[in-house]
Amino acid sequence: MKNYILISIVLSFSQTKAQFFRKDNGLAHTFSIVARDEKTGEIAVGVQSHWFSVGTSVSWAEAGVGAVATQSFTNKSFGIRGLALLKEGKTAQQALDILLSDDPGKEVRQVGIVDAKGNVANFTGKNCVDFAGDLKGKNYAVQSNMMLTNEVPEAMAKSFEANARLPLAERVLEALKAAQKVGGDIRGKQSAAILVVKGEATGKPWDDNHLVDLRVDDHADPLAEMERLLKTHRAYEHMNNGDLAIENNNMTLAMQEYGAAMKMFPKNLEMQYWTAITLANGGNVQKAALMLQAIYAKEPNWRKMTRRLPKAGLLTVEEKELSLLLK
């Protein structure tokens, strides 16, 4: 009789669990933040977890619409459906209420939502693993579960509010670092993601509506790696701005942008190389040649690249000057 009761309990639990735990969803016991920048209108979601590739399941955002974090026993449909509800004109709270209304597994869910107007909502199911909690503030919501301590939501909120001067991605990163500082996930750390979108969509899918879209899928220190990637992202923003300045024939601005990138990563040969090519195209061939010689010494293939640029119209110098650049 005892064996029968035990089997019945196990079967009952398995059937209940099957309602909310499926292969296409998964686990993501973690901490996250959804937020809007009041000055720029940008919208973000950031997350860290001891779970592989957390950014593929927790973080969702769309330009001009909002952001969703779905975690604990993750329901990926909350990301897609949540954004669709916001797009229809629902507020963050209205969207959250609808998502939870027909969810049999809601007591193991944790969700955070921010809409394009800065309205926020979040929810922590009563069966989420301790320590689990959430907080809401102006233009942001933070949520966490399976934490080592109960200090995480407050630490994230304080950090986000204290770093209003920072760009939104850096501000979100600081909030995640604050969570880790007070203990973070009780199991440790493995992956992280930061997604930032424009406050207003361009209506052109090929435009860069995702301003920052970075993931660390598997790393011993994901937030340190995220910080490195975000810095690299900012440096290449300068490089892209330099390229755009060249398109607009503004060589002064191009050099300023390339210089800013090189200042951030002085050992990056790519940044050095295109700065040298820009100098050459601007008439400063001697300085460009000196830079290129140093680059070739470290990686000879850049010399081969230089030979190919005139045909593509990317290096516009006379034959004599080209010879100097190839030394």
Side-chain angles (χ1 to χ4, degrees), residues 29-32 71 110 124 128-135 142-156 175-188:
H29 299 293
T30 185
F31 53 85
S32 67
Q71 59 196 50
Q110 194 168 49
T124 300
C128 289
V129 180
D130 286 339
F131 289 103
D134 55 58
L135 278 177
V142 298
Q143 36 286 322
S144 62
N145 66 88
M146 202 178 273
M147 297 294 102
L148 181 63
T149 74
N150 62 358
E151 301 174 38
V152 168
E154 185 176 356
M156 294 180 76
L176 296 176
K177 288 165 62 177
Q180 187 60 48
K181 190 173 182 180
V182 294
D185 191 322
I186 194 171
R187 301 162 302 170

Side-chain angles (χ1 to χ4, degrees), residues 84-307:
L85 289 166
L86 296 181
K87 207 167 187 176
E88 289 174 7
K90 300 290 192 297
T91 65
Q93 188 63 57
Q94 289 170 337
L96 180 58
D97 291 343
I98 292 170
L99 292 174
L100 295 173
S101 65
D102 60 354
D103 180 16
K106 75 175 187 178
E107 296 305 340
V108 292
R109 308 284 189 222
Q110 194 168 49
V111 191
I113 302 178
V114 61
D115 62 36
K117 294 181 180 178
N119 300 307
V120 295
N122 55 14
F123 171 80
T124 300
K126 65 182 180 182
N127 293 332
C128 289
V129 180
D130 286 339
F131 289 103
D134 55 58
L135 278 177
K136 291 182 288 188
K138 188 178 181 182
N139 290 298
Y140 74 90
V142 298
Q143 36 286 322
S144 62
N145 66 88
M146 202 178 273
M147 297 294 102
L148 181 63
T149 74
N150 62 358
E151 301 174 38
V152 168
E154 185 176 356
M156 294 180 76
K158 285 183 176 179
S159 174
F160 187 76
E161 292 177 4
N163 286 295
R165 73 188 189 285
L166 295 177
L168 186 57
E170 281 79 359
R171 197 176 175 190
V172 164
L173 177 59
E174 288 303 314
L176 296 176
K177 288 165 62 177
Q180 187 60 48
K181 190 173 182 180
V182 294
D185 191 322
I186 194 171
R187 301 162 302 170
K189 47 195 176 180
Q190 184 172 1
S191 66
I194 293 179
L195 176 58
V196 181
V197 297
K198 292 180 179 178
E200 292 185 16
T202 62
K204 300 175 181 178
W206 55 87
D207 274 354
D208 192 10
N209 288 313
H210 283 197
L211 300 172
V212 178
D213 191 354
L214 300 174
R215 280 178 23 204
V216 178
D217 287 337
D218 188 22
H219 197 278
D221 194 348
L223 291 184
E225 176 64 3
M226 178 62 72
E227 190 163 26
R228 185 191 71 81
L229 290 176
L230 184 54
K231 182 181 177 183
T232 305
H233 172 84
R234 295 304 188 198
Y236 274 91
E237 280 185 332
H238 286 299
M239 293 297 292
N240 291 335
N241 290 339
D243 293 345
L244 182 60
I246 288 177
E247 283 186 35
N248 295 324
N249 201 30
N250 188 339
M251 304 304 287
T252 300
L253 179 58
M255 290 306 301
Q256 289 175 355
E257 292 290 344
Y258 289 152
M262 283 200 302
K263 188 175 181 180
M264 295 176 73
F265 288 95
K267 295 182 180 180
N268 186 296
L269 294 185
E270 176 107 23
M271 294 175 183
Q272 295 175 29
Y273 180 80
W274 292 112
T275 301
I277 296 302
T278 301
L279 283 168
N281 285 332
N284 198 339
V285 177
Q286 291 290 341
K287 185 174 181 179
L290 288 173
M291 289 184 67
L292 288 173
Q293 287 169 17
I295 293 167
Y296 300 156
K298 294 175 181 177
E299 177 47 71
N301 281 344
W302 285 109
R303 181 180 280 107
K304 295 178 182 178
M305 171 72 86
T306 304
R307 290 193 181 99

Side-chain angles (χ1 to χ4, degrees), residues 38-82:
E38 194 170 25
K39 300 184 292 292
T40 66
E42 294 173 4
I43 306 162
V45 52
V47 58
Q48 180 183 277
S49 177
H50 187 280
W51 194 257
F52 176 71
S53 193
V54 70
T56 59
S57 57
V58 170
S59 48
W60 304 81
E62 183 175 345
V65 176
V68 179
T70 169
Q71 59 196 50
S72 187
F73 281 82
T74 306
N75 188 333
K76 289 184 181 179
S77 79
F78 280 13
I80 298 169
R81 291 165 57 210

